[in-house]
Amino acid sequence: SSRVCFATVGTTQFDALTRALVSHEVTGLLARHGYSCLRLQIGRGSEPVLPSDPPPPIPIEWYRFKDSLEADMRSAALLISHAGAGSIMEGLRCTAPLLVAVNDGLMDNHQQARPPLGLRRTVGCASDRPAPPRPPSAPGACARARPARPPHRHDAERPLRGARGAARARRLA
């Protein structure tokens, strides 16, 4: 079966994200994790320069715009999106994990200033710059990328009992 990683930059340009995604490092990582294709929606960005020696380990497809990204987003096994509100909301309606990348190259970077839009189901949110100050009650953080620590297998298999179990259940949620 085909496992597609789909990335969108919306209507803007985000060449830094596109360059990173077509790199040997990222395409190799995707291949090692069982992805069979990388599909990019590049908006107004530059045409991606695909590595040739050696060629990428998985096919890379790209296009600028479509009337709707819904089919590509719904069929993807992993979604990577710029931090535009519309793209995030559309991605959250899909079942695939969502990774959000902030475009720090934008003037008046509204993406980083935006409070997270229900990003609890995202794999992560990455940026090159620290997030602006937020009120203590604001949910989630969109700051420098930090790898999420998955629960240890033995943690997931142990029964959750008592106060310690309740605390562990909150950590695993």
Side-chain angles (χ1 to χ4, degrees):
S1 75
S2 179
R3 289 189 70 209
V4 174
C5 172
F6 176 68
T8 177
V9 303
T11 58
T12 185
Q13 102 180 49
F14 196 171
D15 291 342
L17 178 61
T18 302
R19 274 192 308 276
L21 290 172
V22 302
S23 71
H24 281 295
E25 182 179 8
V26 173
T27 56
L29 182 67
L30 290 171
R32 285 191 301 279
H33 286 277
Y35 293 93
S36 56
C37 178
L38 172 60
R39 185 171 299 135
L40 306 168
Q41 180 271 321
I42 65 165
R44 290 190 201 99
S46 301
E47 186 173 314
V49 177
L50 305 181
S52 59
D53 189 22
I58 59 174
I60 299 172
E61 306 168 356
W62 65 270
Y63 59 87
R64 291 194 182 282
F65 299 103
K66 282 186 178 178
D67 290 338
S68 172
L69 302 180
E70 183 179 1
D72 285 325
M73 291 180 101
R74 292 207 179 273
S75 66
L78 174 63
L79 296 170
I80 301 172
S81 174
H82 72 118
S87 296
I88 291 173
M89 295 307 292
E90 198 168 352
L92 288 172
R93 286 191 285 270
C94 298
T95 58
L98 174 64
L99 176 64
V100 176
V102 175
N103 189 348
D104 290 318
L106 293 177
M107 288 179 52
D108 185 28
N109 190 357
H110 65 283
Q111 291 185 353
Q112 200 166 28
R114 174 182 301 111
L117 301 169
L119 295 180
R120 293 177 191 179
R121 210 198 83 243
T122 60
V123 172
C125 183
S127 172
D128 286 342
R129 299 180 185 152
R134 293 179 300 116
S137 62
C142 187
R144 292 186 185 275
R146 287 181 217 107
R149 185 180 76 78
H152 293 292
R153 169 157 273 154
H154 68 276
D155 281 348
E157 293 170 356
R158 287 190 312 203
L160 303 174
R161 294 191 192 115
R164 286 187 179 162
R168 197 167 78 246
R170 283 192 299 276
R171 273 198 328 268
L172 295 175

